[in-house]
Amino acid sequence: QVHLVESGGGLVQAGGSLRLSCAASKRIVSTYTMGWFRQAPGKEREFVAAIDWSNGSTYYADSVKGRFTISRDIVKNTVYLQMNSLKPEDSALYYCAAAPAGGPRNSKGRYLHWGQGTQVTVSS
């Protein structure tokens, strides 16, 4: 079974940047979509960004457009989330997830594999 491991979280000041990484233990199938979700205390887990593995097409939540960039390294079986201009409201536990083809890219139910999460805290 695929094993996803996130890294790169930490504590930063507002306006700062972080780069999250998600390494997969196996080759990511070309039909998959890789996504990032986040969950803050007391809130529902929400979609952040996704990338189609086959062609690199990207999708973003409105709240992060222009600030976050998702990318992939096919050879390394790794997906990244570059986060710039961070705001306190970006503070959350960030999860990497993998979904087979089909279904909405922003749907939690589509993603079958999840990492353990990495904490991002943005101070004001």
Side-chain angles (χ1 to χ4, degrees), residues 48-66:
V48 175
I51 185 166
D52 292 338
W53 214 250
S54 60
N55 58 14
S57 296
T58 58
Y59 308 86
Y60 298 93
D62 289 341
S63 60
V64 305
K65 285 181 179 178

Side-chain angles (χ1 to χ4, degrees), residues 5 19 27 55 61 70 87 110 121:
V5 179
R19 190 193 192 202
R27 182 177 64 84
N55 58 14
I70 188 170
K87 306 174 181 179
R110 179 188 171 191
T121 303

Side-chain angles (χ1 to χ4, degrees), residues 95-115:
Y95 295 91
C96 174
R105 294 174 181 86
N106 64 350
S107 173
K108 294 188 294 291
R110 179 188 171 191
Y111 293 80
L112 302 182
H113 306 281
W114 294 82

Side-chain angles (χ1 to χ4, degrees), residues 37-78:
F37 290 77
R38 67 188 183 187
Q39 187 167 24
K43 299 186 67 176
E44 185 179 347
R45 189 171 301 185
E46 66 177 358
F47 170 77
V48 175
I51 185 166
D52 292 338
W53 214 250
S54 60
N55 58 14
S57 296
T58 58
Y59 308 86
Y60 298 93
D62 289 341
S63 60
V64 305
K65 285 181 179 178
R67 300 188 298 121
F68 291 10
T69 302
I70 188 170
S71 61
R72 77 201 199 283
D73 187 323
I74 297 174
V75 174
K76 296 178 67 175
N77 296 310
T78 300

Side-chain angles (χ1 to χ4, degrees), residues 1-5 22-30 32 34 53 73-79 98 113:
Q1 294 181 337
V2 65
H3 179 66
L4 304 176
V5 179
C22 172
S25 61
K26 297 181 178 179
R27 182 177 64 84
I28 299 174
V29 178
S30 62
Y32 267 54
M34 298 297 294
W53 214 250
D73 187 323
I74 297 174
V75 174
K76 296 178 67 175
N77 296 310
T78 300
V79 60
H113 306 281

